Amino acid sequence: MTTTIKPTDSELEILNILWDKGPSTVRDVHEVLEKSKDAGYTTTLKLMQIMHDKGLLKRDASNKSHVYTAIVSQEKTQGQLVKRMIDNVFNGSASQLVMQALGHHKANKEELEEIKKYLDEMEKKTNNS
Amino acid sequence: MTTTIKPTDSELEILNILWDKGPSTVRDVHEVLEKSKDAGYTTTLKLMQIMHDKGLLKRDASNKSHVYTAIVSQEKTQGQLVKRMIDNVFNGSASQLVMQALGHHKANKEELEEIKKYLDEMEKKTNNS
DNA sequence: TTGTATTTACGAAATTATTCGTAGGTTTGT
DNA sequence: ACAAACCTACGAATAATTTCGTAAATACAA
């Protein structure tokens, strides 16, 4: 079994920033975070330290300001979270989730085409009736 | 703004049972729950009482055993959870979520067809390029 | 060098979620 | 009526998450 990832909401906010910006200091992350919520600097610091302890982040401590990098990949994390949602919220039915997602977020034509193309690809590779 | 629903994991387990079985007593719910986890009866009771306080469940207390019913609908709850996931995990892109969902859960041919049909329907109603 | 700013480390408070023991009431069977 | 079984209410312990104050270390500037 590969280690299972379950970031909390706060941790996910930080991961999103790190995935977006790449390796960053606590200050870098905190400045982004401040825009959307108000939390003290040491709160951000503490969170990132905890994430480091948990093995979600690695850090380079060779400079005065430590530089943190996400260890868990965005893809893998997204995959696990989606899987969990399918299991816990949609009783194991991926297509149910898909239709919910499409139903309430009107995707534009390009997006819809992209998804259809994706489906066609999948069908080619699918032989079970 | 419609009240925002954020059930915890435990609460979601209970909601799933109630959506499936319809109005149920604590004992009914607990018997289902017991199969997958081990928790005491009063734990289930307490959770359902809290959910009642929060307005997630209503109850009929006219009998000895109170009968609980989910107030929040499955559809609406699924919708909110999906929306939250799109916002927090997929930076607002529904199609990203859709493709993750399809990528890791090989749906069978029927499911894929169902989804394609759904997409065709949507396209008819979509005029923005 | 001396003070100012910035940073990390640490501990603990505050908040939220989960668990369960115990007490007291109601129903049921004998 | 009495006991056994079952139910709710309540309070509190435990655990997990989020928050931040304070102290010590490091860098920076005057």
Side-chain angles (χ1 to χ4, degrees), chain A residues 27 41 45-46 49 59 65-66:
Chain A
R27 174 127 336 257
Y41 173 84
L45 170 66
K46 181 70 166 188
Q49 285 170 339
R59 74 177 168 193
S65 299
H66 300 178

Side-chain angles (χ1 to χ4, degrees), chain B residues 27 41 45-46 49 59 65-66:
Chain B
R27 173 124 339 250
Y41 174 83
L45 170 67
K46 181 69 164 188
Q49 285 170 340
R59 75 175 167 193
S65 300
H66 299 178

Side-chain angles (χ1 to χ4, degrees), chain B residues 8-26:
Chain B
T8 67
D9 288 348
S10 299
E11 288 172 347
L12 199 53
E13 287 179 324
I14 290 172
L15 285 174
N16 277 322
I17 294 168
L18 288 174
W19 286 326
D20 180 39
K21 304 270 183 192
S24 308
T25 64
V26 173

Side-chain angles (χ1 to χ4, degrees), chain A residues 14 21 65 70 79 82 90 95 104 112 114 122-123:
Chain A
I14 290 173
K21 304 270 184 193
S65 299
V82 165
F90 292 92
S95 48
H104 287 286
L112 294 182
E114 193 182 5
M122 286 197 73
E123 280 198 340

Side-chain angles (χ1 to χ4, degrees), chain B residues 9-62:
Chain B
D9 288 348
S10 299
E11 288 172 347
L12 199 53
E13 287 179 324
I14 290 172
L15 285 174
N16 277 322
I17 294 168
L18 288 174
W19 286 326
D20 180 39
K21 304 270 183 192
S24 308
T25 64
V26 173
R27 173 124 339 250
D28 294 335
V29 170
H30 183 63
E31 268 163 12
V32 178
L33 224 43
E34 261 183 330
K35 292 182 205 157
S36 49
K37 65 189 304 197
D38 74 337
Y41 174 83
T42 52
T43 301
T44 305
L45 170 67
K46 181 69 164 188
L47 275 171
M48 290 176 74
Q49 285 170 340
I50 290 171
M51 291 170 79
H52 179 249
D53 292 346
K54 287 187 185 175
L56 264 48
L57 308 182
K58 68 183 170 190
R59 75 175 167 193
D60 174 355
S62 60

Side-chain angles (χ1 to χ4, degrees), chain A residues 52-94:
Chain A
H52 178 250
D53 292 346
K54 287 187 185 174
L56 266 47
L57 309 182
K58 68 182 171 191
R59 74 177 168 193
D60 173 355
S62 61
N63 304 301
K64 175 192 173 185
S65 299
H66 300 178
V67 175
Y68 289 83
T69 311
I71 290 177
V72 296
S73 79
Q74 182 170 31
E75 277 256 318
K76 187 173 168 189
T77 306
Q78 287 175 337
Q80 296 213 9
L81 293 174
V82 165
K83 176 173 174 8
R84 209 175 339 258
M85 173 157 286
I86 290 170
D87 289 345
N88 298 340
V89 183
F90 292 92
N91 298 301
S93 164

Side-chain angles (χ1 to χ4, degrees), chain B residues 14-128:
Chain B
I14 290 172
L15 285 174
N16 277 322
I17 294 168
L18 288 174
W19 286 326
D20 180 39
K21 304 270 183 192
S24 308
T25 64
V26 173
R27 173 124 339 250
D28 294 335
V29 170
H30 183 63
E31 268 163 12
V32 178
L33 224 43
E34 261 183 330
K35 292 182 205 157
S36 49
K37 65 189 304 197
D38 74 337
Y41 174 83
T42 52
T43 301
T44 305
L45 170 67
K46 181 69 164 188
L47 275 171
M48 290 176 74
Q49 285 170 340
I50 290 171
M51 291 170 79
H52 179 249
D53 292 346
K54 287 187 185 175
L56 264 48
L57 308 182
K58 68 183 170 190
R59 75 175 167 193
D60 174 355
S62 60
N63 305 301
K64 175 192 174 186
S65 300
H66 299 178
V67 175
Y68 289 80
T69 311
I71 291 178
V72 297
S73 78
Q74 182 169 29
E75 277 257 317
K76 188 174 169 189
T77 305
Q78 288 175 337
Q80 295 213 9
L81 292 174
V82 166
K83 177 173 172 8
R84 206 173 345 254
M85 173 157 287
I86 290 170
D87 290 344
N88 299 340
V89 182
F90 292 92
N91 297 303
S93 164
S95 47
Q96 278 297 118
L97 180 150
V98 167
M99 293 197 279
Q100 259 293 354
L102 294 175
H104 287 286
H105 273 257
K106 14 196 167 308
N108 63 30
K109 215 162 196 168
E110 279 85 11
E111 285 183 295
L112 295 181
E113 282 307 327
E114 192 183 5
I115 294 168
K116 276 176 78 174
K117 205 171 297 170
Y118 194 87
L119 283 170
D120 288 337
E121 295 259 336
M122 285 197 73
E123 280 198 339
K124 282 182 199 151
K125 293 176 186 168
T126 304
N127 288 329
N128 53 338

